[in-house]
Amino acid sequence: MKKTAYILFLLLLTFLAACSSNDDTSNSSEKETAKASASEASDEEGGVKVDKNLLSVEVSLPASFFEGQSAEDVIADAKEEGIEVTANDDGSYTYKMSKSEHKKLMDEMSAELDKSTAEMVSSGDYPSIKDISYNKDFSAFTMVVDKEAYENSMDGFASLGLGMSGMMYQLFNGADPDEYSITISIEDEASGEVIGETVYPDAMEDVE
């Protein structure tokens, strides 16, 4: 499961690389007008840490996100995408980007979540799923399903995609990894009854 999270992170790096080429001009202007730190949001040691400074944002990902990956590979993958990365003594890695890049990243992740949830309903890949709704910060999703069709299918795997996407959004937005959670509720279309619930990241720990 953690390797899946790493793959998702690499996809995010691709977006960051695209942003960096468009922000060079604005970044130089920012550097001329500001020099000091403005604010900081961080978690306990070993988790994801997001430091928001006046000029840049640093995202530190824990070692658990990179199981099976050597430091050389992690750094090389990031540098291929033009991203500044530092390996830390505790096995975590810190990625540095401008504030504008971070904002674009969060906006892009939000747009991609909007798009992917809509496609889950409309694509026909998950025929038992009739609707998906979610809150603003992607910490809670509700999948409305045809109960009988859902229970006799593999459509439950859709909740994994929602959970992983919600987790990545929360973590990159500065959520405390010791306290955050993503709740996926399954609601029967006919009765309105909640017939199942999955909470991430607890669900990932249960299968390790």
Side-chain angles (χ1 to χ4, degrees):
M1 294 296 183
K2 290 173 180 174
K3 289 183 180 179
T4 302
Y6 177 66
I7 292 170
L8 290 173
F9 176 65
L10 289 181
L11 295 177
L12 297 180
L13 288 183
T14 302
F15 170 76
L16 284 175
C19 290
S20 62
S21 61
N22 295 326
D23 288 333
D24 289 342
T25 301
S26 61
N27 289 345
S28 61
S29 176
E30 290 174 351
K31 290 177 182 178
E32 292 173 358
T33 58
K35 296 181 180 180
S37 297
S39 62
E40 177 178 293
S42 63
D43 67 334
E44 298 296 325
E45 183 178 356
V48 173
K49 181 175 68 176
V50 179
D51 290 334
K52 297 178 180 179
N53 300 314
L54 194 59
L55 296 178
S56 63
V57 175
E58 293 185 358
V59 179
S60 294
L61 299 180
S64 60
F65 270 49
F66 303 93
E67 287 185 356
Q69 302 287 325
S70 68
E72 291 78 10
D73 288 342
V74 172
I75 293 173
D77 288 340
K79 288 187 175 180
E80 278 185 13
E81 303 298 342
I83 306 300
E84 182 180 342
V85 59
T86 302
N88 303 313
D89 293 339
D90 62 357
S92 65
Y93 295 85
T94 299
Y95 296 81
K96 185 175 182 180
M97 66 200 82
S98 70
K99 286 186 69 177
S100 58
E101 285 174 337
H102 184 258
K103 182 180 185 303
K104 286 183 179 181
L105 172 62
M106 301 315 301
D107 289 345
E108 179 73 4
M109 291 177 72
S110 178
E112 284 300 317
L113 272 164
D114 289 338
K115 179 180 177 181
S116 63
T117 51
E119 288 179 346
M120 282 183 181
V121 177
S122 64
S123 66
D125 293 337
Y126 306 97
S128 72
I129 300 176
K130 305 305 180 182
D131 189 33
I132 300 175
S133 59
Y134 42 89
N135 60 1
K136 185 176 181 180
D137 65 356
F138 302 104
S139 62
F141 295 81
T142 298
M143 289 176 22
V144 179
V145 304
D146 178 314
K147 180 179 179 180
E148 182 177 358
Y150 179 81
E151 291 178 343
N152 290 284
S153 71
M154 301 296 288
D155 291 357
F157 280 110
S159 67
L160 173 62
L162 295 176
M164 293 295 295
S165 298
M167 287 170 60
M168 295 299 287
Y169 182 91
Q170 288 282 305
L171 292 173
F172 273 85
N173 204 33
D176 185 336
D178 292 329
E179 297 182 0
Y180 84 117
S181 66
I182 312 298
T183 301
I184 314 295
S185 300
I186 312 301
E187 180 181 305
D188 177 28
E189 181 183 33
S191 67
E193 175 189 4
V194 175
I195 59 175
E197 184 177 277
T198 305
V199 178
Y200 292 90
D202 295 353
M204 294 174 61
E205 296 171 357
D206 291 341
V207 298
E208 288 179 351

